[in-house]
Short mmCIF file of all heavy atoms in Angstrom, two decimals:
data_model
loop_
_atom_site.label_atom_id
_atom_site.label_comp_id
_atom_site.label_asym_id
_atom_site.label_seq_id
_atom_site.Cartn_x
_atom_site.Cartn_y
_atom_site.Cartn_z
N MET A 12 -57.38 -44.12 -24.40
CA MET A 12 -56.74 -42.81 -24.48
C MET A 12 -55.70 -42.84 -25.59
O MET A 12 -54.98 -43.81 -25.76
CB MET A 12 -56.09 -42.48 -23.13
CG MET A 12 -55.35 -41.16 -23.12
SD MET A 12 -54.74 -40.79 -21.46
CE MET A 12 -54.54 -39.05 -21.61
N GLY A 13 -55.58 -41.75 -26.33
CA GLY A 13 -54.60 -41.66 -27.41
C GLY A 13 -53.23 -41.32 -26.87
O GLY A 13 -53.00 -41.24 -25.67
N ALA A 14 -52.31 -41.12 -27.77
CA ALA A 14 -50.94 -40.78 -27.40
C ALA A 14 -50.90 -39.39 -26.76
O ALA A 14 -51.73 -38.53 -27.03
CB ALA A 14 -50.04 -40.81 -28.62
N LYS A 15 -49.93 -39.22 -25.88
CA LYS A 15 -49.77 -37.95 -25.18
C LYS A 15 -48.29 -37.57 -25.18
O LYS A 15 -47.42 -38.43 -25.03
CB LYS A 15 -50.27 -38.10 -23.74
CG LYS A 15 -50.22 -36.83 -22.92
CD LYS A 15 -50.86 -37.05 -21.56
CE LYS A 15 -50.83 -35.79 -20.73
NZ LYS A 15 -51.47 -35.98 -19.42
N LYS A 16 -48.02 -36.27 -25.35
CA LYS A 16 -46.64 -35.78 -25.29
C LYS A 16 -46.21 -35.71 -23.83
O LYS A 16 -46.90 -35.14 -22.99
CB LYS A 16 -46.53 -34.40 -25.94
CG LYS A 16 -45.10 -33.87 -25.95
CD LYS A 16 -44.96 -32.62 -26.78
CE LYS A 16 -45.49 -31.42 -26.07
NZ LYS A 16 -45.17 -30.15 -26.74
N VAL A 17 -45.07 -36.31 -23.55
CA VAL A 17 -44.50 -36.29 -22.20
C VAL A 17 -43.18 -35.53 -22.28
O VAL A 17 -42.28 -35.90 -23.04
CB VAL A 17 -44.27 -37.72 -21.67
CG1 VAL A 17 -43.58 -37.68 -20.31
CG2 VAL A 17 -45.59 -38.47 -21.58
N ARG A 18 -43.09 -34.45 -21.50
CA ARG A 18 -41.86 -33.63 -21.49
C ARG A 18 -41.14 -33.87 -20.18
O ARG A 18 -41.73 -33.82 -19.10
CB ARG A 18 -42.23 -32.15 -21.61
CG ARG A 18 -41.02 -31.24 -21.54
CD ARG A 18 -41.32 -29.82 -21.93
NE ARG A 18 -42.36 -29.19 -21.16
CZ ARG A 18 -42.41 -27.89 -20.89
NH1 ARG A 18 -41.47 -27.08 -21.35
NH2 ARG A 18 -43.39 -27.40 -20.19
N VAL A 19 -39.85 -34.15 -20.29
CA VAL A 19 -39.02 -34.36 -19.11
C VAL A 19 -37.90 -33.33 -19.11
O VAL A 19 -37.47 -32.86 -20.16
CB VAL A 19 -38.43 -35.79 -19.06
CG1 VAL A 19 -39.53 -36.82 -18.91
CG2 VAL A 19 -37.58 -36.09 -20.27
N GLU A 20 -37.48 -32.97 -17.91
CA GLU A 20 -36.37 -32.01 -17.76
C GLU A 20 -35.46 -32.50 -16.65
O GLU A 20 -35.94 -32.90 -15.58
CB GLU A 20 -36.90 -30.62 -17.44
CG GLU A 20 -35.81 -29.58 -17.31
CD GLU A 20 -36.35 -28.18 -17.05
OE1 GLU A 20 -37.56 -28.01 -16.85
OE2 GLU A 20 -35.53 -27.26 -17.05
N PHE A 21 -34.16 -32.45 -16.91
CA PHE A 21 -33.17 -32.88 -15.94
C PHE A 21 -32.32 -31.68 -15.53
O PHE A 21 -31.80 -30.96 -16.40
CB PHE A 21 -32.29 -33.99 -16.53
CG PHE A 21 -33.03 -35.28 -16.70
CD1 PHE A 21 -33.86 -35.48 -17.79
CD2 PHE A 21 -32.93 -36.29 -15.75
CE1 PHE A 21 -34.57 -36.67 -17.95
CE2 PHE A 21 -33.64 -37.47 -15.89
CZ PHE A 21 -34.47 -37.66 -17.00
N VAL A 22 -32.20 -31.47 -14.22
CA VAL A 22 -31.42 -30.35 -13.69
C VAL A 22 -30.45 -30.86 -12.64
O VAL A 22 -30.67 -31.88 -12.00
CB VAL A 22 -32.33 -29.24 -13.09
CG1 VAL A 22 -33.24 -28.65 -14.14
CG2 VAL A 22 -33.16 -29.76 -11.93
N ASP A 23 -29.36 -30.09 -12.46
CA ASP A 23 -28.38 -30.47 -11.45
C ASP A 23 -28.81 -29.94 -10.09
O ASP A 23 -29.90 -29.37 -9.94
CB ASP A 23 -26.97 -30.00 -11.84
CG ASP A 23 -26.83 -28.48 -11.91
OD1 ASP A 23 -27.68 -27.74 -11.39
OD2 ASP A 23 -25.83 -28.03 -12.52
N GLY A 24 -27.98 -30.12 -9.09
CA GLY A 24 -28.32 -29.72 -7.72
C GLY A 24 -28.62 -28.24 -7.57
O GLY A 24 -29.34 -27.84 -6.65
N SER A 25 -28.08 -27.40 -8.46
CA SER A 25 -28.34 -25.96 -8.37
C SER A 25 -29.45 -25.51 -9.32
O SER A 25 -29.67 -24.31 -9.49
CB SER A 25 -27.06 -25.18 -8.63
OG SER A 25 -26.57 -25.44 -9.92
N GLY A 26 -30.10 -26.48 -9.97
CA GLY A 26 -31.22 -26.14 -10.84
C GLY A 26 -30.87 -25.83 -12.27
O GLY A 26 -31.72 -25.45 -13.06
N GLN A 27 -29.59 -26.04 -12.64
CA GLN A 27 -29.16 -25.79 -14.02
C GLN A 27 -29.45 -27.01 -14.89
O GLN A 27 -29.32 -28.14 -14.43
CB GLN A 27 -27.66 -25.47 -14.04
CG GLN A 27 -27.29 -24.20 -13.30
CD GLN A 27 -28.01 -22.98 -13.87
OE1 GLN A 27 -27.97 -22.72 -15.06
NE2 GLN A 27 -28.68 -22.25 -12.99
N PRO A 28 -29.83 -26.80 -16.16
CA PRO A 28 -30.14 -27.92 -17.04
C PRO A 28 -28.94 -28.83 -17.28
O PRO A 28 -27.80 -28.36 -17.31
CB PRO A 28 -30.58 -27.26 -18.35
CG PRO A 28 -30.37 -25.81 -18.21
CD PRO A 28 -29.98 -25.50 -16.81
N VAL A 29 -29.21 -30.12 -17.44
CA VAL A 29 -28.16 -31.10 -17.71
C VAL A 29 -28.41 -31.70 -19.10
O VAL A 29 -29.43 -32.35 -19.33
CB VAL A 29 -28.14 -32.22 -16.65
CG1 VAL A 29 -27.07 -33.25 -16.97
CG2 VAL A 29 -27.91 -31.64 -15.26
N ALA A 30 -27.50 -31.46 -20.02
CA ALA A 30 -27.58 -32.00 -21.38
C ALA A 30 -26.95 -33.39 -21.42
O ALA A 30 -26.08 -33.71 -20.62
CB ALA A 30 -26.87 -31.07 -22.36
N GLY A 31 -27.41 -34.21 -22.37
CA GLY A 31 -26.77 -35.50 -22.62
C GLY A 31 -27.22 -36.63 -21.73
O GLY A 31 -26.62 -37.71 -21.78
N VAL A 32 -28.28 -36.45 -20.93
CA VAL A 32 -28.80 -37.56 -20.13
C VAL A 32 -29.52 -38.52 -21.08
O VAL A 32 -30.37 -38.10 -21.88
CB VAL A 32 -29.78 -37.07 -19.04
CG1 VAL A 32 -30.36 -38.24 -18.26
CG2 VAL A 32 -29.10 -36.09 -18.11
N LYS A 33 -29.19 -39.80 -21.04
CA LYS A 33 -29.85 -40.79 -21.89
C LYS A 33 -31.14 -41.20 -21.20
O LYS A 33 -31.12 -41.74 -20.09
CB LYS A 33 -28.94 -42.00 -22.11
CG LYS A 33 -27.74 -41.66 -22.95
CD LYS A 33 -26.87 -42.85 -23.18
CE LYS A 33 -25.66 -42.44 -24.01
NZ LYS A 33 -24.77 -43.54 -24.29
N VAL A 34 -32.26 -40.93 -21.85
CA VAL A 34 -33.57 -41.19 -21.25
C VAL A 34 -34.45 -41.93 -22.24
O VAL A 34 -34.39 -41.70 -23.45
CB VAL A 34 -34.21 -39.86 -20.75
CG1 VAL A 34 -34.41 -38.88 -21.86
CG2 VAL A 34 -35.50 -40.11 -20.01
N LYS A 35 -35.25 -42.86 -21.72
CA LYS A 35 -36.12 -43.69 -22.55
C LYS A 35 -37.47 -43.84 -21.85
O LYS A 35 -37.52 -44.01 -20.65
CB LYS A 35 -35.48 -45.06 -22.75
CG LYS A 35 -36.29 -46.00 -23.64
CD LYS A 35 -35.53 -47.27 -23.91
CE LYS A 35 -36.23 -48.28 -24.77
NZ LYS A 35 -37.49 -47.96 -25.35
N ALA A 36 -38.53 -43.76 -22.65
CA ALA A 36 -39.88 -44.00 -22.15
C ALA A 36 -40.38 -45.31 -22.74
O ALA A 36 -39.99 -45.70 -23.84
CB ALA A 36 -40.81 -42.85 -22.56
N THR A 37 -41.26 -45.99 -22.02
CA THR A 37 -41.84 -47.24 -22.50
C THR A 37 -42.41 -47.05 -23.90
O THR A 37 -43.15 -46.10 -24.15
CB THR A 37 -42.97 -47.69 -21.55
OG1 THR A 37 -42.43 -47.85 -20.24
CG2 THR A 37 -43.61 -48.99 -22.01
N GLY A 38 -42.04 -47.94 -24.81
CA GLY A 38 -42.56 -47.89 -26.17
C GLY A 38 -41.92 -46.86 -27.07
O GLY A 38 -42.33 -46.68 -28.21
N CYS A 39 -40.91 -46.14 -26.57
CA CYS A 39 -40.24 -45.10 -27.34
C CYS A 39 -38.75 -45.39 -27.42
O CYS A 39 -38.21 -46.11 -26.59
CB CYS A 39 -40.44 -43.73 -26.69
SG CYS A 39 -42.15 -43.22 -26.54
N GLY A 40 -38.09 -44.79 -28.39
CA GLY A 40 -36.65 -44.93 -28.50
C GLY A 40 -35.92 -44.09 -27.46
O GLY A 40 -36.50 -43.21 -26.83
N GLU A 41 -34.64 -44.38 -27.26
CA GLU A 41 -33.82 -43.63 -26.31
C GLU A 41 -33.41 -42.29 -26.92
O GLU A 41 -33.06 -42.22 -28.09
CB GLU A 41 -32.59 -44.44 -25.93
CG GLU A 41 -31.72 -43.77 -24.89
CD GLU A 41 -30.55 -44.63 -24.48
OE1 GLU A 41 -29.55 -44.64 -25.23
OE2 GLU A 41 -30.64 -45.29 -23.44
N LEU A 42 -33.48 -41.25 -26.12
CA LEU A 42 -33.07 -39.91 -26.52
C LEU A 42 -32.02 -39.40 -25.55
O LEU A 42 -31.88 -39.94 -24.45
CB LEU A 42 -34.26 -38.94 -26.50
CG LEU A 42 -35.45 -39.27 -27.40
CD1 LEU A 42 -36.59 -38.29 -27.12
CD2 LEU A 42 -35.05 -39.21 -28.85
N GLU A 43 -31.33 -38.33 -25.94
CA GLU A 43 -30.46 -37.60 -25.01
C GLU A 43 -31.07 -36.23 -24.80
O GLU A 43 -31.61 -35.63 -25.74
CB GLU A 43 -29.05 -37.46 -25.58
CG GLU A 43 -28.25 -38.73 -25.51
CD GLU A 43 -26.77 -38.52 -25.80
OE1 GLU A 43 -26.31 -37.36 -25.83
OE2 GLU A 43 -26.08 -39.52 -25.97
N THR A 44 -30.98 -35.73 -23.57
CA THR A 44 -31.53 -34.41 -23.30
C THR A 44 -30.76 -33.35 -24.08
O THR A 44 -29.56 -33.45 -24.29
CB THR A 44 -31.52 -34.08 -21.79
OG1 THR A 44 -30.19 -34.21 -21.29
CG2 THR A 44 -32.46 -34.98 -21.01
N ALA A 45 -31.49 -32.33 -24.50
CA ALA A 45 -30.94 -31.20 -25.25
C ALA A 45 -30.17 -30.28 -24.29
O ALA A 45 -30.18 -30.49 -23.08
CB ALA A 45 -32.10 -30.43 -25.90
N PRO A 46 -29.50 -29.24 -24.83
CA PRO A 46 -28.79 -28.30 -23.96
C PRO A 46 -29.67 -27.67 -22.87
O PRO A 46 -29.16 -27.29 -21.81
CB PRO A 46 -28.26 -27.24 -24.93
CG PRO A 46 -28.07 -27.99 -26.20
CD PRO A 46 -29.23 -28.96 -26.25
N ASN A 47 -30.99 -27.60 -23.09
CA ASN A 47 -31.89 -27.06 -22.06
C ASN A 47 -32.32 -28.12 -21.06
O ASN A 47 -33.17 -27.88 -20.21
CB ASN A 47 -33.11 -26.39 -22.70
CG ASN A 47 -34.02 -27.37 -23.42
OD1 ASN A 47 -33.75 -28.57 -23.50
ND2 ASN A 47 -35.11 -26.86 -23.98
N GLY A 48 -31.73 -29.33 -21.15
CA GLY A 48 -32.02 -30.40 -20.20
C GLY A 48 -33.31 -31.14 -20.48
O GLY A 48 -33.72 -31.98 -19.68
N GLN A 49 -33.96 -30.88 -21.61
CA GLN A 49 -35.27 -31.46 -21.87
C GLN A 49 -35.25 -32.48 -23.00
O GLN A 49 -34.40 -32.46 -23.88
CB GLN A 49 -36.28 -30.36 -22.22
CG GLN A 49 -36.52 -29.41 -21.08
CD GLN A 49 -37.61 -28.40 -21.38
OE1 GLN A 49 -38.36 -28.52 -22.36
NE2 GLN A 49 -37.72 -27.39 -20.54
N ALA A 50 -36.24 -33.37 -22.94
CA ALA A 50 -36.51 -34.34 -24.01
C ALA A 50 -38.02 -34.52 -24.04
O ALA A 50 -38.72 -34.34 -23.03
CB ALA A 50 -35.81 -35.66 -23.74
N PHE A 51 -38.54 -34.87 -25.21
CA PHE A 51 -39.97 -35.05 -25.41
C PHE A 51 -40.24 -36.44 -25.97
O PHE A 51 -39.52 -36.91 -26.85
CB PHE A 51 -40.52 -34.02 -26.41
CG PHE A 51 -40.40 -32.60 -25.96
CD1 PHE A 51 -39.22 -31.90 -26.15
CD2 PHE A 51 -41.45 -31.97 -25.33
CE1 PHE A 51 -39.10 -30.59 -25.74
CE2 PHE A 51 -41.34 -30.66 -24.90
CZ PHE A 51 -40.16 -29.98 -25.11
N PHE A 52 -41.30 -37.07 -25.46
CA PHE A 52 -41.71 -38.38 -25.95
C PHE A 52 -43.19 -38.33 -26.29
O PHE A 52 -43.96 -37.62 -25.64
CB PHE A 52 -41.50 -39.45 -24.87
CG PHE A 52 -40.07 -39.67 -24.51
CD1 PHE A 52 -39.51 -39.02 -23.42
CD2 PHE A 52 -39.27 -40.52 -25.26
CE1 PHE A 52 -38.18 -39.21 -23.09
CE2 PHE A 52 -37.94 -40.71 -24.93
CZ PHE A 52 -37.39 -40.06 -23.84
N LEU A 53 -43.59 -39.12 -27.28
CA LEU A 53 -44.99 -39.31 -27.61
C LEU A 53 -45.33 -40.71 -27.13
O LEU A 53 -44.99 -41.70 -27.77
CB LEU A 53 -45.23 -39.14 -29.11
CG LEU A 53 -46.68 -39.04 -29.53
CD1 LEU A 53 -47.37 -37.85 -28.84
CD2 LEU A 53 -46.79 -38.89 -31.04
N VAL A 54 -45.99 -40.78 -25.97
CA VAL A 54 -46.26 -42.05 -25.30
C VAL A 54 -47.71 -42.45 -25.58
O VAL A 54 -48.62 -41.63 -25.44
CB VAL A 54 -46.01 -41.92 -23.78
CG1 VAL A 54 -46.34 -43.22 -23.06
CG2 VAL A 54 -44.57 -41.52 -23.51
N ASP A 55 -47.92 -43.72 -25.92
CA ASP A 55 -49.29 -44.18 -26.16
C ASP A 55 -49.69 -45.36 -25.29
O ASP A 55 -50.73 -45.97 -25.48
CB ASP A 55 -49.51 -44.50 -27.64
CG ASP A 55 -48.64 -45.61 -28.15
OD1 ASP A 55 -47.88 -46.19 -27.36
OD2 ASP A 55 -48.72 -45.90 -29.35
N GLU A 56 -48.85 -45.70 -24.30
CA GLU A 56 -49.18 -46.78 -23.38
C GLU A 56 -49.64 -46.17 -22.06
O GLU A 56 -48.96 -45.33 -21.49
CB GLU A 56 -47.97 -47.68 -23.16
CG GLU A 56 -47.54 -48.38 -24.44
CD GLU A 56 -46.46 -49.41 -24.22
OE1 GLU A 56 -46.42 -50.01 -23.13
OE2 GLU A 56 -45.66 -49.60 -25.14
N GLU A 57 -50.82 -46.61 -21.57
CA GLU A 57 -51.40 -46.01 -20.36
C GLU A 57 -50.48 -46.15 -19.16
O GLU A 57 -50.31 -45.21 -18.39
CB GLU A 57 -52.76 -46.63 -20.06
CG GLU A 57 -53.43 -46.12 -18.80
CD GLU A 57 -53.62 -44.60 -18.74
OE1 GLU A 57 -53.83 -43.95 -19.77
OE2 GLU A 57 -53.53 -44.06 -17.63
N SER A 58 -49.87 -47.30 -18.99
CA SER A 58 -48.93 -47.50 -17.88
C SER A 58 -47.53 -47.47 -18.48
O SER A 58 -47.20 -48.30 -19.33
CB SER A 58 -49.20 -48.85 -17.21
OG SER A 58 -48.29 -49.06 -16.17
N PHE A 59 -46.72 -46.51 -18.07
CA PHE A 59 -45.39 -46.37 -18.66
C PHE A 59 -44.37 -46.00 -17.60
O PHE A 59 -44.71 -45.62 -16.49
CB PHE A 59 -45.40 -45.32 -19.78
CG PHE A 59 -45.41 -43.90 -19.30
CD1 PHE A 59 -44.24 -43.15 -19.31
CD2 PHE A 59 -46.56 -43.31 -18.83
CE1 PHE A 59 -44.23 -41.84 -18.86
CE2 PHE A 59 -46.57 -42.00 -18.38
CZ PHE A 59 -45.40 -41.27 -18.39
N ASP A 60 -43.11 -46.14 -17.98
CA ASP A 60 -42.04 -45.72 -17.08
C ASP A 60 -40.97 -44.99 -17.87
O ASP A 60 -40.94 -45.04 -19.10
CB ASP A 60 -41.46 -46.90 -16.30
CG ASP A 60 -40.83 -47.95 -17.19
OD1 ASP A 60 -41.21 -48.07 -18.36
OD2 ASP A 60 -39.92 -48.66 -16.72
N LEU A 61 -40.14 -44.27 -17.13
CA LEU A 61 -39.02 -43.54 -17.71
C LEU A 61 -37.74 -44.07 -17.09
O LEU A 61 -37.68 -44.29 -15.87
CB LEU A 61 -39.14 -42.04 -17.42
CG LEU A 61 -40.31 -41.31 -18.06
CD1 LEU A 61 -40.48 -39.94 -17.42
CD2 LEU A 61 -40.08 -41.18 -19.56
N VAL A 62 -36.74 -44.26 -17.93
CA VAL A 62 -35.43 -44.74 -17.49
C VAL A 62 -34.40 -43.70 -17.89
O VAL A 62 -34.38 -43.25 -19.04
CB VAL A 62 -35.11 -46.11 -18.15
CG1 VAL A 62 -33.71 -46.56 -17.79
CG2 VAL A 62 -36.14 -47.15 -17.73
N ALA A 63 -33.56 -43.28 -16.95
CA ALA A 63 -32.51 -42.30 -17.22
C ALA A 63 -31.16 -42.94 -16.89
O ALA A 63 -30.97 -43.43 -15.78
CB ALA A 63 -32.71 -41.05 -16.38
N ASN A 64 -30.28 -42.93 -17.87
CA ASN A 64 -28.94 -43.53 -17.72
C ASN A 64 -29.02 -44.94 -17.15
O ASN A 64 -28.24 -45.33 -16.29
CB ASN A 64 -28.03 -42.64 -16.89
CG ASN A 64 -27.70 -41.35 -17.60
OD1 ASN A 64 -27.77 -41.24 -18.82
ND2 ASN A 64 -27.34 -40.33 -16.84
N GLY A 65 -30.04 -45.71 -17.59
CA GLY A 65 -30.16 -47.11 -17.21
C GLY A 65 -30.93 -47.39 -15.94
O GLY A 65 -31.13 -48.54 -15.58
N ALA A 66 -31.39 -46.37 -15.22
CA ALA A 66 -32.11 -46.58 -13.97
C ALA A 66 -33.53 -46.01 -14.07
O ALA A 66 -33.72 -44.91 -14.59
CB ALA A 66 -31.38 -45.91 -12.81
N GLU A 67 -34.51 -46.76 -13.59
CA GLU A 67 -35.89 -46.28 -13.61
C GLU A 67 -36.03 -45.06 -12.70
O GLU A 67 -35.61 -45.09 -11.55
CB GLU A 67 -36.85 -47.38 -13.16
CG GLU A 67 -38.30 -46.96 -13.25
CD GLU A 67 -39.25 -48.07 -12.86
OE1 GLU A 67 -39.63 -48.86 -13.72
OE2 GLU A 67 -39.59 -48.14 -11.66
N VAL A 68 -36.63 -43.99 -13.24
CA VAL A 68 -36.80 -42.76 -12.47
C VAL A 68 -38.26 -42.37 -12.30
O VAL A 68 -38.58 -41.51 -11.49
CB VAL A 68 -36.01 -41.58 -13.09
CG1 VAL A 68 -34.51 -41.81 -12.99
CG2 VAL A 68 -36.42 -41.33 -14.53
N TYR A 69 -39.16 -43.00 -13.08
CA TYR A 69 -40.58 -42.64 -13.00
C TYR A 69 -41.41 -43.82 -13.48
O TYR A 69 -41.06 -44.49 -14.45
CB TYR A 69 -40.86 -41.43 -13.88
CG TYR A 69 -42.31 -40.99 -13.87
CD1 TYR A 69 -42.77 -40.10 -12.90
CD2 TYR A 69 -43.22 -41.45 -14.81
CE1 TYR A 69 -44.09 -39.70 -12.88
CE2 TYR A 69 -44.55 -41.06 -14.79
CZ TYR A 69 -44.98 -40.17 -13.82
OH TYR A 69 -46.29 -39.78 -13.79
N LYS A 70 -42.53 -44.04 -12.81
CA LYS A 70 -43.50 -45.06 -13.21
C LYS A 70 -44.87 -44.49 -12.89
O LYS A 70 -45.10 -44.03 -11.78
CB LYS A 70 -43.24 -46.36 -12.46
CG LYS A 70 -44.10 -47.52 -12.93
CD LYS A 70 -43.70 -48.78 -12.18
CE LYS A 70 -44.05 -50.02 -12.94
NZ LYS A 70 -43.18 -50.33 -14.07
N GLY A 71 -45.74 -44.49 -13.88
CA GLY A 71 -47.07 -43.93 -13.62
C GLY A 71 -48.01 -44.16 -14.78
O GLY A 71 -47.71 -44.88 -15.72
N SER A 72 -49.16 -43.52 -14.69
CA SER A 72 -50.17 -43.66 -15.74
C SER A 72 -50.17 -42.42 -16.62
O SER A 72 -49.95 -41.30 -16.15
CB SER A 72 -51.55 -43.89 -15.14
OG SER A 72 -52.05 -42.70 -14.59
N LEU A 73 -50.43 -42.63 -17.88
CA LEU A 73 -50.42 -41.55 -18.86
C LEU A 73 -51.46 -40.50 -18.52
O LEU A 73 -51.24 -39.31 -18.69
CB LEU A 73 -50.64 -42.12 -20.26
CG LEU A 73 -50.33 -41.23 -21.44
CD1 LEU A 73 -48.90 -40.72 -21.37
CD2 LEU A 73 -50.56 -41.98 -22.73
N GLY A 74 -52.61 -40.93 -18.01
CA GLY A 74 -53.67 -39.99 -17.67
C GLY A 74 -53.32 -39.06 -16.53
O GLY A 74 -53.87 -37.97 -16.41
N ALA A 75 -52.38 -39.46 -15.67
CA ALA A 75 -52.04 -38.66 -14.49
C ALA A 75 -50.71 -37.93 -14.63
O ALA A 75 -50.30 -37.24 -13.70
CB ALA A 75 -51.99 -39.57 -13.27
N VAL A 76 -50.05 -38.05 -15.77
CA VAL A 76 -48.72 -37.44 -15.91
C VAL A 76 -48.86 -35.91 -16.00
O VAL A 76 -49.75 -35.39 -16.66
CB VAL A 76 -47.98 -38.01 -17.15
CG1 VAL A 76 -48.57 -37.54 -18.44
CG2 VAL A 76 -46.51 -37.70 -17.09
N PRO A 77 -48.01 -35.18 -15.27
CA PRO A 77 -48.07 -33.70 -15.35
C PRO A 77 -47.57 -33.20 -16.70
O PRO A 77 -47.00 -33.97 -17.49
CB PRO A 77 -47.15 -33.26 -14.21
CG PRO A 77 -46.23 -34.41 -13.98
CD PRO A 77 -46.99 -35.65 -14.35
N GLU A 78 -47.73 -31.92 -16.95
CA GLU A 78 -47.29 -31.32 -18.22
C GLU A 78 -45.80 -31.49 -18.43
O GLU A 78 -45.33 -31.71 -19.54
CB GLU A 78 -47.65 -29.83 -18.24
CG GLU A 78 -47.26 -29.15 -19.53
CD GLU A 78 -47.60 -27.67 -19.52
OE1 GLU A 78 -48.62 -27.28 -18.94
OE2 GLU A 78 -46.82 -26.91 -20.11
N LYS A 79 -45.03 -31.39 -17.34
CA LYS A 79 -43.58 -31.57 -17.41
C LYS A 79 -43.13 -32.28 -16.14
O LYS A 79 -43.56 -31.94 -15.04
CB LYS A 79 -42.88 -30.21 -17.52
CG LYS A 79 -41.36 -30.30 -17.49
CD LYS A 79 -40.68 -28.97 -17.78
CE LYS A 79 -40.83 -27.99 -16.68
NZ LYS A 79 -40.01 -26.78 -16.87
N ILE A 80 -42.26 -33.28 -16.30
CA ILE A 80 -41.70 -33.98 -15.15
C ILE A 80 -40.25 -33.51 -15.01
O ILE A 80 -39.45 -33.66 -15.94
CB ILE A 80 -41.72 -35.51 -15.33
CG1 ILE A 80 -43.13 -35.99 -15.70
CG2 ILE A 80 -41.26 -36.20 -14.06
CD1 ILE A 80 -43.17 -37.44 -16.14
N VAL A 81 -39.93 -32.93 -13.86
CA VAL A 81 -38.58 -32.42 -13.62
C VAL A 81 -37.85 -33.40 -12.70
O VAL A 81 -38.39 -33.81 -11.67
CB VAL A 81 -38.62 -31.01 -12.98
CG1 VAL A 81 -37.20 -30.51 -12.70
CG2 VAL A 81 -39.37 -30.04 -13.89
N PHE A 82 -36.64 -33.75 -13.08
CA PHE A 82 -35.80 -34.62 -12.27
C PHE A 82 -34.56 -33.86 -11.85
O PHE A 82 -33.92 -33.19 -12.66
CB PHE A 82 -35.38 -35.87 -13.08
CG PHE A 82 -36.54 -36.72 -13.48
CD1 PHE A 82 -37.09 -36.60 -14.74
CD2 PHE A 82 -37.10 -37.63 -12.60
CE1 PHE A 82 -38.18 -37.37 -15.13
CE2 PHE A 82 -38.18 -38.39 -12.97
CZ PHE A 82 -38.72 -38.27 -14.23
N LYS A 83 -34.25 -33.96 -10.56
CA LYS A 83 -33.09 -33.27 -10.00
C LYS A 83 -32.01 -34.30 -9.67
O LYS A 83 -32.31 -35.37 -9.15
CB LYS A 83 -33.50 -32.51 -8.74
CG LYS A 83 -32.46 -31.55 -8.24
CD LYS A 83 -33.03 -30.67 -7.13
CE LYS A 83 -32.02 -29.59 -6.75
NZ LYS A 83 -32.57 -28.67 -5.79
N GLN A 84 -30.77 -33.94 -9.98
CA GLN A 84 -29.65 -34.81 -9.70
C GLN A 84 -29.52 -34.99 -8.20
O GLN A 84 -29.53 -34.02 -7.43
CB GLN A 84 -28.37 -34.20 -10.27
CG GLN A 84 -27.37 -35.19 -10.72
CD GLN A 84 -26.33 -34.56 -11.63
OE1 GLN A 84 -26.16 -33.35 -11.64
NE2 GLN A 84 -25.64 -35.38 -12.39
N ALA A 85 -29.44 -36.26 -7.77
CA ALA A 85 -29.33 -36.57 -6.34
C ALA A 85 -28.31 -37.69 -6.20
O ALA A 85 -28.59 -38.83 -6.56
CB ALA A 85 -30.67 -36.98 -5.77
N GLY A 86 -27.14 -37.36 -5.68
CA GLY A 86 -26.08 -38.36 -5.57
C GLY A 86 -25.70 -38.84 -6.97
O GLY A 86 -25.43 -38.04 -7.84
N GLY A 87 -25.77 -40.14 -7.20
CA GLY A 87 -25.44 -40.69 -8.52
C GLY A 87 -26.65 -40.91 -9.39
O GLY A 87 -26.53 -41.45 -10.48
N GLY A 88 -27.84 -40.50 -8.93
CA GLY A 88 -29.05 -40.75 -9.71
C GLY A 88 -29.92 -39.52 -9.86
O GLY A 88 -29.45 -38.40 -9.73
N TRP A 89 -31.21 -39.75 -10.10
CA TRP A 89 -32.18 -38.68 -10.34
C TRP A 89 -33.42 -38.91 -9.51
O TRP A 89 -33.85 -40.04 -9.34
CB TRP A 89 -32.57 -38.66 -11.82
CG TRP A 89 -31.41 -38.46 -12.73
CD1 TRP A 89 -30.68 -39.43 -13.35
CD2 TRP A 89 -30.81 -37.21 -13.08
NE1 TRP A 89 -29.67 -38.84 -14.08
CE2 TRP A 89 -29.74 -37.49 -13.94
CE3 TRP A 89 -31.09 -35.89 -12.77
CZ2 TRP A 89 -28.93 -36.50 -14.49
CZ3 TRP A 89 -30.30 -34.90 -13.30
CH2 TRP A 89 -29.24 -35.19 -14.15
N GLN A 90 -33.99 -37.82 -9.00
CA GLN A 90 -35.23 -37.89 -8.24
C GLN A 90 -36.21 -36.88 -8.82
O GLN A 90 -35.82 -35.76 -9.20
CB GLN A 90 -35.01 -37.56 -6.77
CG GLN A 90 -34.27 -38.63 -6.02
CD GLN A 90 -34.19 -38.32 -4.53
OE1 GLN A 90 -34.15 -37.16 -4.13
NE2 GLN A 90 -34.17 -39.35 -3.72
N ALA A 91 -37.49 -37.27 -8.90
CA ALA A 91 -38.51 -36.32 -9.36
C ALA A 91 -38.56 -35.15 -8.38
O ALA A 91 -38.58 -35.34 -7.17
CB ALA A 91 -39.86 -37.02 -9.44
N ALA A 92 -38.52 -33.95 -8.93
CA ALA A 92 -38.49 -32.74 -8.08
C ALA A 92 -39.90 -32.31 -7.72
O ALA A 92 -40.85 -32.61 -8.37
CB ALA A 92 -37.78 -31.62 -8.82
#
């Protein structure tokens, strides 16, 4: 399988976007979320994970990844919504 665009979005407890979250995907550089809470990665590894602010928040296969992965703030971390 070739590379695939992976879009992530981070929102707070009330669903508002969170800017400045440091997020990294396997094989990609670290990015910060934009004012709309989103970041985009071009992932080419079938098995990959996402790390936000130093903690793993997602692990899965590139073939099964949804169009957008939304993470909601939960306590001190993030959970897939």
Side-chain angles (χ1 to χ4, degrees):
M12 178 175 201
K15 183 175 180 179
K16 182 170 77 171
V17 175
R18 177 168 57 149
V19 296
E20 182 177 6
F21 290 80
V22 298
D23 64 16
S25 61
Q27 296 301 308
V29 178
V32 177
K33 292 181 181 180
V34 60
K35 182 174 180 5
T37 302
C39 300
E41 183 177 80
L42 300 174
E43 285 192 12
T44 56
N47 66 359
Q49 296 185 12
F51 297 84
F52 295 96
L53 192 58
V54 178
D55 62 2
E56 297 187 31
E57 178 56 33
S58 179
F59 77 102
D60 62 334
L61 294 167
V62 175
N64 292 338
E67 184 177 272
V68 293
Y69 180 87
K70 187 176 204 75
S72 74
L73 195 55
V76 72
E78 181 181 325
K79 176 172 71 172
I80 308 169
V81 178
F82 297 97
K83 191 170 187 175
Q84 212 163 19
W89 301 95
Q90 289 185 329

